[in-house]
Amino acid sequence: MKKFKLNILLAMGVSLGLFSCSESFLDVEPGTSILDNNYYKTVSDAEMALVGCYDGFQRTSSNGNLSIYVVSEVLSDNCFGGTGNTDGRGYQALDRFDLSQSPSDANLFNGTWTDYYAAIFRCNTLLSKLDGIPFKEGTNTRNRIEGETRFLRAILYFDLVRLFERIPLLKVPTTENLPQAEPVETYKLIVEDLKFASENIPADAYSKSKASENDGRVTPYAAKSMMARVYLFYTGYYKVDDLGITKSEVLAGLENVISSGEYGLIDSYKSLWPAASYIPSETANTLDKSGYIGEGNKETVFAQKFNSTTDYNGNIDGNRWLVMMGMRNTNWSPYGKGWGACTVNPKLVAAYSDNDTRKKASIIDIVGEGIKTFDLKDAREYTGYSTKKYTPTALPDGTSDTGGSKDNQISQDQDYVLIRYADVLLMAAELGSPNAQTYYDSVRKRAGLNGRSVSLANIQEERRLEFAFEGIRYWDLLRQGLDVAASTIAQTQKVKSGAADDEVVITADNVRKTRGFMQIPNTQIIISHDVLIQNPGW
């Protein structure tokens, strides 16, 4: 059940009226009668605008553009670009950090860029209007709304600054053609926003029982956890600690999440993922879903919510990137067909021990699981393995197992869990908690493994196996240093494309020359009149 289902009609009413974007995120035209001068008058207006901000965040994935999740997996050493054998080679340009793989793809991220800045515009607009709204004295409503909005703005900017590094930093709704800010400026705003959220959102804002039941809503625990992720990436990549928050403060935030009693590890790892836990019936066209723990469980600290009610008439709330991860045009219940992106690197498969329960829960072994309908002729960079955590699901007769219109492209509704409790434990261990060994061992024990001496190297290896295909690995590599990331990602791997022998060749030099950052869309450079400057290597 979706505990926090975004009311898309409501959010669209706000977004189309106040935040509609056309050619550029700086072009804003009203699409309804809801305008600045007749809105933001009541607390109800602010609450509805906040839903519009959540909707903007959701649209960075549901709008059908290149999502940071897919990019994070393609860039990592977990996966190759894949897709169909006759498709364009945009994913190969990302995978190799080499635009010569697809020279015409000068705008891979244009939709991503506009989606993110549209969402930021929503957040900035709401924040700029709060002083004019008559909130009742003695309530936490204003601070809660501001805290949630600032958390969303922080995560939007964190995605952008990791992808592109130097980006325009808009703190207010503006049409000014701003130059790119230095990354430290963006990170300092992110830290300020997360600090405000962690200190001002009540833990029981939406639930009188447990904050972890606030499925999809921002909590102070989510803000403290995200702060740790930001801190670890920034200080790791840039080798400086100048964000205005100390390591001990970040660790204290994680310890607060842990000691709150709000969260815990689910006993069975595979129960966290639909495709890993669903069992197709042998006698009926059904799936036994009793092994799936469900959304909003005690291990979910923060998730991006999706629903199956997307249609082709403007309602956009589905997980559009999920279909990219499915096996290429292959239904094999409980797995549903997709577009074959992010084929799994055999080196990752080999890194798991056979008694590690995360291996089967994370990876589809196409041959080992007896999947007989896979068509090699249609697949690019086939390795024999596909991702399992985030993949479409299908009924035994091959029909899509979704709600709504049951369209496998737009009706996918699996949530994306950005922060799991296991991540909180391992980040706390990495930051030097006195309980580091206990936290580390608890993650391994859940995977069916024995304890192991805690060390930075062992924690990083554990993160690789624990969070495979969760959009984390690439950033974990990059924060260990550009040379570490480049040498780890660089490789030559034999694959099959169109059933013929093929090779993936990734060079360390290509990773280094981009410094790990992505191509700024050429369209955005043009409409900025060259105020925006392209990143090196692209």
Side-chain angles (χ1 to χ4, degrees), residues 21-293:
C21 295
S22 53
E23 183 183 21
S24 165
F25 69 86
L26 299 177
D27 293 332
V28 182
E29 295 182 2
T32 75
S33 60
I34 301 177
L35 302 170
D36 275 11
N37 60 8
N38 63 14
Y39 197 67
Y40 296 106
K41 302 296 184 183
T42 68
V43 175
S44 294
D45 291 345
E47 295 280 18
M48 189 167 80
L50 174 59
V51 172
C53 293
Y54 276 101
D55 178 62
F57 170 57
Q58 183 193 69
R59 281 171 176 247
T60 62
S61 286
S62 64
N63 218 17
N65 293 307
L66 188 57
S67 77
I68 190 170
Y69 170 81
V70 175
V71 174
S72 300
E73 288 305 312
V74 171
L75 296 178
S76 79
D77 62 332
N78 286 345
C79 298
F80 303 123
T83 67
N85 192 45
T86 59
D87 288 349
R89 295 186 63 84
Y91 279 28
Q92 281 61 48
L94 296 176
D95 188 37
R96 275 75 153 175
F97 295 78
D98 182 6
L99 194 58
S100 71
Q101 289 283 327
S102 187
S104 63
D105 272 320
N107 277 301
L108 283 167
F109 289 97
N110 194 52
T112 310
W113 184 280
T114 55
D115 285 344
Y116 271 86
Y117 275 107
I120 288 168
F121 190 91
R122 296 185 186 201
C123 293
N124 283 339
T125 300
L126 174 54
L127 292 171
S128 72
K129 300 294 184 179
L130 290 176
D131 284 343
I133 297 173
F135 292 96
K136 292 182 180 180
E137 292 186 11
T139 69
N140 295 318
T141 303
R142 186 225 158 103
N143 282 352
R144 172 185 58 76
I145 291 174
E146 182 175 350
E148 290 182 70
T149 307
R150 290 181 69 169
F151 175 95
L152 293 171
R153 182 174 70 174
I155 201 169
L156 291 162
Y157 269 130
F158 186 40
D159 285 354
L160 284 174
V161 75
R162 284 185 297 168
L163 283 172
F164 307 111
E165 189 178 37
R166 297 178 67 251
I167 55 174
L169 184 60
L170 283 70
K171 299 180 182 180
V172 296
T174 178
T175 58
E176 188 177 354
N177 186 15
L178 297 177
Q180 292 145 293
E182 292 303 313
V184 66
E185 298 177 50
T186 304
Y187 278 100
K188 284 184 175 179
L189 178 65
I190 291 168
V191 167
E192 290 170 6
D193 282 350
L194 291 176
K195 186 174 182 180
F196 185 92
S198 68
E199 293 175 349
N200 288 280
I201 301 174
D204 60 352
Y206 295 97
S207 170
K208 294 182 178 180
S209 52
K210 295 179 75 66
S212 53
E213 295 176 0
N214 298 339
D215 188 21
R217 288 281 192 176
V218 179
T219 66
Y221 305 117
K224 292 171 183 178
S225 302
M226 187 57 68
M227 181 77 83
R229 186 172 289 177
V230 171
Y231 178 87
L232 284 168
F233 182 80
Y234 178 84
T235 57
Y237 185 86
Y238 292 102
K239 309 303 180 188
V240 291
D241 191 351
D242 58 353
L243 291 180
I245 188 168
T246 66
K247 179 179 178 179
S248 60
E249 288 175 313
V250 175
L251 176 57
L254 294 176
E255 297 284 21
N256 177 251
V257 177
I258 294 167
S259 64
S260 71
E262 297 282 346
Y263 305 97
L265 296 177
I266 297 301
D267 291 339
S268 172
Y269 188 82
K270 71 177 183 179
S271 296
L272 292 166
W273 319 106
S277 56
Y278 288 0
I279 301 174
S281 170
E282 295 181 0
T283 59
N285 190 36
T286 60
L287 293 171
D288 178 354
K289 302 182 179 181
S290 61
Y292 175 48
I293 195 65

Side-chain angles (χ1 to χ4, degrees), residues 324-371:
M324 295 303 304
M325 311 304 290
M327 290 185 292
R328 182 74 183 182
N329 279 329
T330 301
N331 286 309
W332 189 269
S333 187
Y335 317 131
K337 67 181 180 180
W339 300 130
C342 299
T343 56
V344 175
N345 191 334
K347 292 181 180 178
L348 173 65
V349 181
Y352 285 97
S353 63
D354 288 339
N355 58 341
D356 190 331
T357 60
R358 297 172 297 195
K359 183 176 185 178
K360 288 185 177 179
S362 304
I363 300 166
I364 298 173
D365 181 347
I366 295 173
V367 175
E369 295 186 40
I371 298 172

